[in-house]
Amino acid sequence: MEEIREQGRHAYTALLFGLARAHRTGILELQHGRDWRKVYLVRGTPVLYESSIDSERLSKTLVQAGLVAQKPLSKIVTALQPGEQLEDRLVTEGLVGPEELHIHKKT
């Protein structure tokens, strides 16, 4: 099983590298069962990543990285208005700076 996962990682890496070298623009969508991931590329550069996998969501990764504490983050997530973006609210509330958020999302 681990060998299959490792082969999948190598194929994914090779695919992204090929898209970057070819300066491709578009959306790479990957799906396995109910889980999905999307990588948005502009001229070969990933500019946005989305995932249905809970452990990869921004709120989880911010807490895991120690950038935001769970309690204030939970309050913000609960108070989000329809259509309001978590990123915007985090910056507005001063829990994370725009540059810090940008760097975190790229890693």
Side-chain angles (χ1 to χ4, degrees):
M1 183 66 158
E2 187 62 36
E3 184 177 324
I4 293 172
R5 285 186 184 160
E6 194 61 32
Q7 289 174 350
R9 282 188 204 120
H10 289 301
Y12 177 69
T13 302
L15 178 58
L16 280 177
F17 183 73
L19 293 170
R21 284 189 70 192
H23 302 285
R24 300 299 301 259
T25 296
I27 304 169
L28 173 62
E29 296 184 60
L30 304 166
Q31 186 167 350
H32 179 63
R34 291 183 174 196
D35 295 334
W36 56 265
R37 294 175 172 138
K38 293 181 183 179
V39 179
Y40 296 77
L41 300 150
V42 175
R43 291 183 300 279
T45 301
V47 295
L48 179 65
Y49 174 81
E50 296 178 320
S51 174
S52 68
I53 301 168
D54 191 49
S55 64
E56 295 179 357
R57 294 184 185 270
L58 180 62
S59 57
K60 295 275 186 179
T61 62
L62 286 169
V63 172
Q64 290 169 346
L67 294 174
V68 178
Q70 182 64 54
K71 192 171 182 176
L73 178 64
S74 295
K75 286 181 182 179
I76 286 177
V77 169
T78 303
L80 284 175
Q81 299 297 312
E84 185 178 18
Q85 296 294 315
L86 176 61
E87 295 92 338
D88 296 337
R89 187 69 174 266
L90 289 169
V91 172
T92 300
E93 296 286 329
L95 288 177
V96 66
E99 185 63 27
E100 188 176 32
L101 183 61
H102 178 71
I103 291 169
H104 175 75
K105 288 175 69 176
K106 289 186 108 180
T107 59

